[in-house]
Amino acid sequence: MYDELYEFLQQWLSTHFINYLDEWKKAVEERPGVYTKTQRDKMQIPAETLIGLRRTALGFVSVAKYLLHQPGVQYVLTEKFNQDKLESLFGNMRQMKGGHEAPSVDEVNAQMNVARMKTSQDLRILRGNTYNKQAVETLSVDDTPLMKKKQKKDKS
């Protein structure tokens, strides 16, 4: 059953879906009438999004094929495929640079180093319900009371 479903999905994504995107673009380009480039661009998905959709569809097909051919793997939970963490990381990096939309590779590397340094200096939470109990390192705390200061006598 999974092989049949995978074959259907592979065929649909790699052929029908990709062809649909190509036909959409072609239909907009060949549409009769006098339209400016801006008007035609608004009739279709942006080029960057089309590239992303193609890569996502073909990448998913490759990943699913690889996973389903691993011993013991009977299905793939596609809902677990997302890039939220990656988008969050790059969103934080853009904010660190004042909303810079297109950081260079060098800027990303520098910001990754800063992020690593910040997280390596964080203190782990040792109490409460918000930590991973297995990852907590032991921290020794000395409970010995401090010596009390002698109070000054009031001379009034």
Side-chain angles (χ1 to χ4, degrees), residues 1-126:
M1 180 176 142
Y2 294 109
D3 289 336
E4 293 169 10
L5 180 61
Y6 168 73
E7 292 298 327
F8 169 77
L9 201 61
Q10 178 186 18
Q11 181 70 23
W12 188 85
L13 282 174
S14 59
T15 305
H16 299 298
F17 181 67
I18 300 297
N19 287 344
Y20 171 76
L21 295 175
D22 293 337
E23 288 169 10
W24 182 358
K25 183 175 180 175
K26 185 178 177 183
V28 169
E29 290 170 355
E30 295 175 354
R31 184 176 181 173
V34 180
Y35 299 102
T36 65
K37 181 180 179 338
T38 304
Q39 290 172 323
R40 288 192 189 274
D41 287 347
K42 288 182 180 181
M43 294 179 197
Q44 59 185 338
I45 297 175
E48 296 84 5
T49 304
L50 281 172
I51 291 168
L53 285 171
R54 279 190 182 92
R55 287 182 181 170
T56 300
L58 297 174
F60 172 75
V61 168
S62 297
V63 168
K65 181 179 181 179
Y66 172 78
L67 290 173
L68 289 171
H69 284 88
Q70 296 302 306
V73 176
Q74 297 177 349
Y75 53 89
V76 176
L77 296 174
T78 58
E79 68 185 26
K80 300 295 182 185
F81 285 48
N82 69 59
Q83 59 189 33
D84 293 347
K85 296 279 186 184
L86 190 61
E87 287 178 6
S88 176
L89 173 69
F90 280 99
N92 290 338
M93 286 186 178
R94 282 192 295 274
Q95 283 182 343
M96 286 171 60
K97 284 292 193 178
H100 183 46
E101 287 296 317
S104 69
V105 174
D106 291 335
E107 289 173 330
V108 170
N109 284 334
Q111 290 170 354
M112 289 292 289
N113 288 336
V114 169
R116 277 191 215 105
M117 288 301 293
K118 282 183 178 178
T119 57
S120 70
Q121 301 301 316
D122 287 347
L123 293 175
R124 298 206 189 279
I125 298 170
L126 298 176

Side-chain angles (χ1 to χ4, degrees), residues 126-127 137-145:
L126 298 176
R127 293 184 175 205
E137 298 172 14
T138 58
L139 177 67
S140 61
V141 178
D142 185 6
D143 292 328
T144 307

